[in-house]
Amino acid sequence: MTLLKAAKGEIAVIFDADYMPPKGIIRNIVMAFKDPEIGAVMGRVIPQNSETNLLTKLLTLERSAGYQVDQQARQNLGLIPQYGGTVGGFRRELVLNLGGFDPDILTEDTELTIKLLINGWKVAYNNRIECYEEVPEDWATRARQVRRWSRGHNQVMYKYLFKMLASTHISFWAKVDGVLLQCIYIIPLVLGIGVLDAIALFFMGEVQIYEGVFIFLVVAGFNVFGNFAPFYQIGTASLVDGFDNRVKLLPFILFNFLFNMIHSALGAIDALIDQFKPREIVWEKTQRYRQSQQP
């Protein structure tokens, strides 16, 4: 916040420390603000260490689907493309006038997205604004990253969900999208509790055959249209990007999905504890792997 107040420009352009912005990207980001209704703009993130190991290859698939398909679809459909906190920018005075960033929330980008929408501003996504990043190369680092995202995302949900629903500036379908966006990291916890509950009821003899079939159909339907959605997105993004061979890694996405579920659930528990027992927020910096370049 101190740096934001000290800055003098109209637009604040943000990149994470491990990002490698190409020539001309700042101009491309700022050009989006010619639309006076846009409060923040987000570009596309592309891993530069995608071929390091299996994890980085899977994360490359995830990034491709998340930006090439998910973010672009939200933009095209007039829903909620999310400002991601890097490879983008926002109106500096506007953010300050809205109270700046909450230091107790770990995902300031998600908070800014929802806060802008509630106050009648738009968040835009531009798929042509591309920047390279360094994704985690080991599973322990990735686990901490997902858990931090989940905790911060759920903090935003607790603070803004009902405010968003009450806002007169957001369309009905954008609100539906906003609910799904804010609740995405609590779904693994809810689903996990449901699975454990179903197992317990089964062994207690409380689940009858008809109820079991009904539950199976509900869960199967949810998987087809919900949990399996990333697989569809990844397949589509791979074809659009022209990397057909990436589709061969789709079976490994199931492991990555289960891995993310576990650590998302842990982050959701962290956020729930925060609501009843406020704790000091400690930022765990993501490990960097790129070697410094010698002149």
Side-chain angles (χ1 to χ4, degrees), residues 59-71:
L59 292 181
T60 299
L61 290 175
E62 185 180 285
R63 292 290 195 274
S64 180
Y67 289 98
Q68 183 72 282
V69 178
D70 187 81
Q71 284 276 69

Side-chain angles (χ1 to χ4, degrees), residues 110-283:
T110 305
E111 183 200 19
L112 178 58
T113 299
I114 303 302
K115 186 185 292 186
L116 288 172
L117 293 170
I118 288 174
N119 287 277
W121 292 85
K122 293 180 180 179
V123 176
Y125 171 70
N126 189 332
N127 201 50
R128 294 182 178 274
I129 301 175
E130 299 180 350
C131 186
Y132 290 91
E133 68 160 341
E134 180 184 76
V135 294
E137 296 181 3
D138 65 84
W139 291 97
T141 300
R142 175 60 175 171
R144 290 191 295 270
Q145 184 183 62
V146 171
R147 184 167 181 171
R148 184 181 74 241
W149 287 350
S150 176
R151 182 180 178 184
H153 217 85
N154 283 292
Q155 289 173 326
V156 173
M157 179 194 68
Y158 289 126
K159 183 175 180 179
Y160 290 100
L161 183 60
F162 292 106
K163 293 180 181 179
M164 184 195 69
L165 292 174
S167 175
T168 59
H169 299 292
I170 307 175
S171 69
F172 171 79
W173 288 113
K175 286 183 180 180
V176 172
D177 187 40
V179 170
L180 296 175
L181 176 64
Q182 291 187 61
C183 294
I184 188 172
Y185 279 103
I186 203 171
I187 292 297
L189 177 61
V190 174
L191 185 59
I193 293 173
V195 170
L196 294 175
D197 181 57
I199 293 174
L201 290 173
F202 174 79
F203 284 106
M204 291 170 62
E206 297 295 331
V207 178
Q208 303 301 320
I209 182 65
Y210 297 109
E211 296 170 339
V213 171
F214 175 74
I215 292 173
F216 171 78
L217 292 175
V218 170
V219 172
F222 177 81
N223 279 328
V224 170
F225 294 103
N227 290 337
F228 287 170
F231 293 84
Y232 304 144
Q233 291 183 5
I234 288 170
T236 302
S238 297
L239 293 175
V240 172
D241 282 338
F243 296 102
D244 298 358
N245 288 333
R246 290 181 181 179
V247 178
K248 297 178 182 178
L249 292 175
L250 274 177
F252 294 98
I253 294 295
L254 180 59
F255 170 76
N256 191 47
F257 170 76
L258 296 174
F259 176 87
N260 287 342
M261 277 192 63
I262 293 171
H263 295 285
S264 294
L266 292 174
I269 293 172
D270 288 336
L272 185 61
I273 294 174
D274 290 336
Q275 301 304 304
F276 298 97
K277 185 180 179 182
R279 300 172 293 173
E280 181 182 358
I281 301 297
V282 178
W283 179 269

Side-chain angles (χ1 to χ4, degrees), residues 81-103:
Q82 183 181 353
Y83 169 68
T86 183
V87 192
F90 52 82
R91 298 184 187 274
R92 187 180 65 87
E93 286 292 338
L94 170 61
V95 173
L96 289 174
N97 291 337
L98 292 177
F101 298 107
D102 185 341

